[in-house]
Amino acid sequence: MAVSVVKRLTETVWHPFGASVQFLTRFPLPAAIPFTPPVLTRSLVFFPAAGALIGALLAGCAYLFDLALPALPAAALLLAVWVCASGGLHLDGLMDTADGVLSGRSRERMLEIMKDSRVGAMGVLAAILVLLLKFSLLCSLLQSADWGTCLPLLFAVPVWSRWWMSLAIVRWPYAGGENGLGSYFRGANMGRIWGSLLVGVALTAAGARIGAFSPVETIMLCALALLLCLAAGTVSAQWISRRLGGLTGDTYGALNELLEAALLLAAVAAIAG
């Protein structure tokens, strides 16, 4: 009986969670995870949890860097940690997506450009602009003395951007062909997304309660993060989908980068207000 329970938990919790961590981050895991379609579809529920690992790393590093360094070098180091936590995977997707969708070519040619390992001018510009925006926003956060507010907000950003990624995988058709990794998620349904949303809310609430947020403020934080993801994410995903006939693995990464920047911008605006 105990063996059966452990096996069931491994299949329904550990493998999907591990797949989400390996798919979205560069955190090492002590065991190999089977990247099969059933495991990957279940892993959508744990996308916010993978984001929470990055958020916890960012919050901890932000606090330590700010103790020893001025805001500008601390923000630069924190941005480097952020990029390295995902291995630059999502940033690479942003560059490939920019090269493709901003090329002005046919749909087929756009997809071919995105598969090219070389980076074009549009991809470089997109990466520079997003990284510059993130750097300036991180610098603003680090200059705030209210760590009870800043750290939970920084923690929540990668949680919600990756929740949106799980929704985008289910909500829009996949345009990357039969061999792309994104094709493994085709069996996923909205039930996974509701589960992913609950995980995101629970993790955000836990982070907010560790900080200075009251229960009402925690509810408002989750609601505003959800609304911003739905608004900005839907506009971005719909715009890309019209040009490509759907989304691809690269565009999932691009959407994550854009939403991280949007959520961080909203956090800085809220603190400044």
Side-chain angles (χ1 to χ4, degrees):
M1 182 66 177
V3 173
S4 177
V5 171
V6 170
K7 181 180 179 181
R8 181 63 176 169
L9 288 174
T10 299
E11 293 175 350
T12 59
V13 178
W14 170 244
H15 283 169
F17 170 74
S20 71
V21 172
Q22 289 192 342
F23 185 60
L24 300 176
T25 78
R26 286 298 178 265
F27 292 113
L29 291 177
I33 302 297
F35 264 57
T36 61
V39 171
L40 285 177
T41 55
R42 293 191 192 104
S43 74
L44 293 177
V45 175
F46 297 97
F47 272 29
L53 294 178
I54 295 176
L57 176 65
L58 292 176
C61 288
Y63 184 75
L64 294 175
F65 292 161
D66 192 62
L67 290 177
L69 296 168
L72 285 174
L77 288 175
L78 188 59
L79 183 59
V81 169
W82 202 337
V83 173
C84 291
S86 64
L89 176 66
H90 308 312
L91 194 61
D92 179 69
L94 173 68
M95 292 188 288
D96 288 341
T97 300
D99 279 337
V101 299
L102 299 178
S103 67
R105 306 295 181 84
S106 66
R107 178 177 298 175
E108 292 74 19
R109 181 56 181 151
M110 286 182 187
L111 290 170
E112 290 177 5
I113 291 172
M114 290 168 63
K115 292 177 181 178
D116 194 330
S117 60
R118 295 169 294 182
V119 180
M122 291 300 181
V124 172
L125 287 173
I128 290 174
L129 291 173
V130 169
L131 289 174
L132 183 60
L133 176 59
K134 281 186 172 182
F135 169 74
S136 65
L137 295 171
L138 288 173
C139 188
S140 296
L141 277 180
L142 292 174
Q143 289 174 335
S144 173
D146 186 5
W147 285 111
T149 300
C150 292
L151 294 184
L153 290 175
L154 186 59
F155 170 80
V157 167
V159 171
W160 285 95
S161 67
R162 282 155 185 79
W163 171 77
W164 172 261
M165 194 187 296
S166 71
L167 177 60
I169 288 172
V170 174
R171 171 65 179 79
W172 278 271
Y174 182 68
E178 295 295 328
N179 297 323
L181 185 59
S183 63
Y184 290 1
F185 293 98
R186 286 179 176 173
N189 54 43
M190 285 301 297
R192 307 290 186 193
I193 306 309
W194 287 113
S196 180
L197 179 60
L198 290 176
V199 171
V201 169
L203 290 169
T204 303
R209 292 301 293 158
I210 293 174
F213 284 72
S214 68
V216 173
E217 290 171 333
T218 299
I219 293 172
M220 291 179 61
L221 172 61
C222 292
L224 291 174
L226 175 60
L227 290 175
L228 181 58
C229 285
L230 291 174
T234 298
V235 170
S236 302
Q238 194 64 27
W239 184 80
I240 294 172
S241 183
R242 284 200 193 100
R243 281 152 181 77
L244 299 178
L247 301 180
T248 69
D250 284 329
T251 64
Y252 300 147
L255 289 169
N256 176 77
E257 288 291 330
L258 294 174
L259 269 183
E260 281 184 342
L263 289 163
L264 199 56
L265 179 61
V268 171
I271 292 174

